[in-house]
Amino acid sequence: MTSRYPVTALPETDARPTPEAVDPAAPDGSAEAPVYPNPGDEPLGAHTDDRGVRRPPRPLHDPFYDTPGDLSLLDPGTIVRSRRVRLGFLGLVPQRNLIAHQLAFRSTDLHGRPELAVTTVVTAGRPATARPPRMIAYQCAIDAVADACFPSYALRAGARAWGSFPQLELLVIAALAARGYVVTVADHEGRGGRFAAPREPGHRVLDGIRATLAFAPLRLAAATPVGLIGYSGGGMASAWTAELAPAYAPELPIVGAVLGSPVGDPGQAFRKLNGGLFAGLPALVVSGLREVYPGLDDVISRYGTTEGLRRLDALREMTTVKAVAHCAYDDFGDYIDVPLDDILAGEEVSAVFDDLRLGVTAPACPVLVVQAERDRTIDVADVDALVGRYLDGGADLRYLRDRSSGHNSAMILALPTMLGWLERRFDTAMATPGRHTTRSFLFAPRARRGFSALLHASARTVIGRHRSTAPTRNRTAPSPEYR
């Protein structure tokens, strides 16, 4: 079978695609997308329509993710190719009236090397809003190494990714799109599933924002305001994005970042979760980082038992839920030939843990951090420490803690608070810095109205039908202020 995405050399001249090359189809999908049946015919920025694919291939076997020639010739965020896809709740319920495009673009890995990354852009099928266009970069809690958990696969109709968190997070993504937002959802772990790798998730998210702004059918101005939001692993990716934005993408107008239960110190999380119910999460981190840090891989290969190495390799095909169930109460000390404390105190592992720690640079945009005090997955003390580092760096930060919630319940209960805070940043309302502890996010201001709207949007996602909930005006006709 001939690939529609041949690997070809990139031009040495200006490689930015023209609007015609990106997507001649109308935003509502009414026009036919071009097809390039012969290898070598596909121009940079070529568009295809994959809505007819009933069983999408996994990313590692999908030529859409292939790297075309020398990416170093392109600027970060340049679109290499795009396609129209269908979304499906849990892969089973097609989402009518949600428009989804996927953009493959040039980004940068941890070591500064160019790489291909992918983002999924979601808009309402009948967009309506009484304001200029706004974008939200939503970071999913991928929390896995397997490519089945990448949002670009897990969100698609026909995907088999049961046990992946992004499939459930479609409920939030759809609600944001229904409110008139352009939602961009990057595969922030990259094609290799490098769970918890530092810095590069921020590169992929920021370049995904650049690619979304440049995607011609959306008709977005460069000054379109952008908000960041994510929870747990998505909160960690959002934190890297907020930290890196001033230096890596200073031109992006980021109005605020919501960091839900960010993993501020993955090294401490490893120590605290090892041997417990959620031991699968640090095991997934180790599995994902082996190719990132050769020194860490050497330590694991040198001291790991045959059974330990087998279990780590098996995680590469497991969704998050399956990995957590498979590794519950595992102790890394049982799968190495030397005491675990000696390994953790070693130079190679200590250097890795230091590199993973957030908070070296304070975000320049306003930040909201939310955290449950009874969280058994992310220790509140580690989030307190991250908040302290941000405040020491001069961040404009609001920190909300919940006395009664756990990790998963806090995400649900805090959603109206998180989305409401981000909404006010778009409206240029001044953020109120400080620290506040509440009995429950359930009793936060506007929580009841926020839950009602989210439940309504979630119900429509479950049945696959959506409609805009904002006052009517064409989203693709921004006011002169944003042209």
Side-chain angles (χ1 to χ4, degrees):
M1 179 178 175
T2 301
S3 170
R4 288 178 296 170
Y5 309 108
V7 178
T8 56
L10 297 176
E12 296 185 4
T13 57
D14 185 4
R16 292 185 177 276
T18 65
E20 292 76 15
V22 175
D23 185 3
D28 64 0
S30 58
E32 291 294 326
V35 177
Y36 304 98
N38 301 314
D41 286 352
E42 180 196 38
L44 184 66
H47 182 85
T48 57
D49 192 333
D50 281 13
R51 283 176 291 176
V53 176
R54 300 188 61 184
R55 186 71 66 193
R58 296 261 293 268
L60 291 181
H61 305 290
D62 187 341
F64 183 79
Y65 299 77
D66 289 348
T67 300
D70 187 358
L71 283 175
S72 65
L73 298 172
L74 305 181
D75 292 333
T78 301
I79 298 171
V80 172
R81 60 180 72 98
S82 62
R83 64 183 176 186
R84 182 81 181 272
V85 297
R86 288 189 309 141
L87 302 184
F89 179 58
L90 301 179
L92 301 173
V93 184
Q95 299 299 292
R96 301 173 181 85
N97 301 327
L98 280 185
I99 296 175
H101 292 91
Q102 293 185 336
L103 313 178
F105 56 90
R106 192 267 204 205
S107 192
T108 308
D109 71 5
L110 176 64
H111 306 291
R113 298 172 301 210
E115 64 169 13
L116 193 80
V118 172
T119 192
T120 302
V121 182
V122 184
T123 57
R126 294 180 177 87
T129 180
R131 56 198 174 215
R134 301 172 170 185
M135 185 193 306
I136 288 182
Y138 185 91
Q139 284 60 256
C140 289
I142 301 174
D143 294 5
V145 183
D147 61 341
C149 295
F150 299 173
S152 60
Y153 174 79
L155 297 177
R156 293 184 66 181
R160 295 182 175 180
W162 301 294
S164 68
F165 292 155
Q167 288 199 322
L168 296 175
E169 291 182 276
L170 180 59
L171 297 170
V172 184
I173 294 167
L176 292 171
R179 287 293 303 163
Y181 289 102
V182 176
V183 187
T184 185
V185 188
D187 290 0
H188 56 76
E189 288 185 3
R191 194 181 184 195
R194 292 145 72 113
F195 181 26
R199 295 180 290 285
E200 61 184 19
H203 296 162
R204 297 182 186 115
V205 174
L206 292 166
D207 288 329
I209 295 170
R210 285 167 162 160
T212 305
L213 289 171
F215 190 50
L218 297 177
R219 305 173 190 171
L220 297 174
T224 300
V226 182
L228 311 174
I229 187 170
Y231 191 87
S232 192
M236 178 168 60
S238 298
W240 281 120
T241 304
E243 286 193 22
L244 293 170
Y248 187 80
E251 81 282 4
L252 295 180
I254 297 176
V255 299
V258 177
L259 315 181
S261 193
V263 190
D265 194 332
Q268 287 298 320
F270 176 94
R271 293 181 173 91
K272 294 170 181 176
L273 294 177
N274 182 49
L277 176 61
F278 300 106
L281 293 174
L284 285 165
V285 169
V286 172
S287 179
L289 293 180
R290 291 181 65 182
E291 68 176 64
V292 180
Y293 297 100
L296 176 64
D297 184 55
D298 180 64
V299 169
I300 293 171
S301 300
R302 192 188 324 154
Y303 298 114
T305 64
T306 301
E307 174 62 13
L309 295 174
R310 186 192 67 79
R311 290 177 73 83
L312 275 181
D313 290 340
L315 293 175
R316 301 200 66 83
E317 284 300 313
M318 294 185 186
T319 61
T320 310
V321 172
K322 185 175 181 180
V324 169
H326 181 72
C327 297
Y329 300 105
D330 273 3
D331 188 326
F332 262 80
D334 296 335
Y335 299 106
I336 55 177
D337 294 330
V338 296
L340 180 60
D341 288 341
D342 292 349
I343 294 290
L344 297 181
E347 182 179 350
E348 296 91 345
V349 175
S350 294
V352 169
F353 282 175
D354 288 344
D355 201 32
L356 301 182
R357 189 177 299 115
L358 284 159
V360 174
T361 302
C365 65
V367 175
L368 171 69
V369 179
V370 299
Q371 176 64 29
E373 292 185 351
R374 297 188 179 185
D375 194 325
R376 296 177 58 193
T377 306
I378 308 301
D379 194 327
V380 65
D382 295 336
V383 178
D384 288 349
L386 173 62
V387 167
R389 292 193 292 273
Y390 280 162
L391 291 175
D392 289 343
D396 177 3
L397 186 144
R398 176 74 167 168
Y399 184 26
L400 299 179
R401 302 202 325 181
D402 182 304
R403 290 195 183 99
S404 57
S405 301
H407 186 72
N408 294 327
S409 60
M411 177 185 180
I412 298 170
L413 296 178
L415 266 176
T417 299
M418 293 190 293
L419 297 179
W421 182 91
L422 193 57
E423 178 89 11
R424 291 189 290 278
R425 301 294 77 73
F426 282 104
D427 293 334
T428 68
M430 294 297 293
T432 304
R435 173 170 168 165
H436 179 69
T437 300
T438 181
R439 185 172 56 157
S440 173
F441 292 128
L442 183 62
F443 304 115
R446 306 182 184 89
R448 182 177 301 178
R449 185 170 58 185
F451 280 122
S452 176
L454 287 170
L455 286 173
H456 181 78
S458 296
R460 289 189 170 275
T461 302
V462 171
I463 64 174
R465 295 184 180 274
H466 299 271
R467 69 180 181 187
S468 176
T469 59
T472 58
R473 183 186 291 181
N474 186 358
R475 176 185 56 80
T476 59
S479 69
E481 178 185 359
Y482 286 86
R483 289 189 188 277

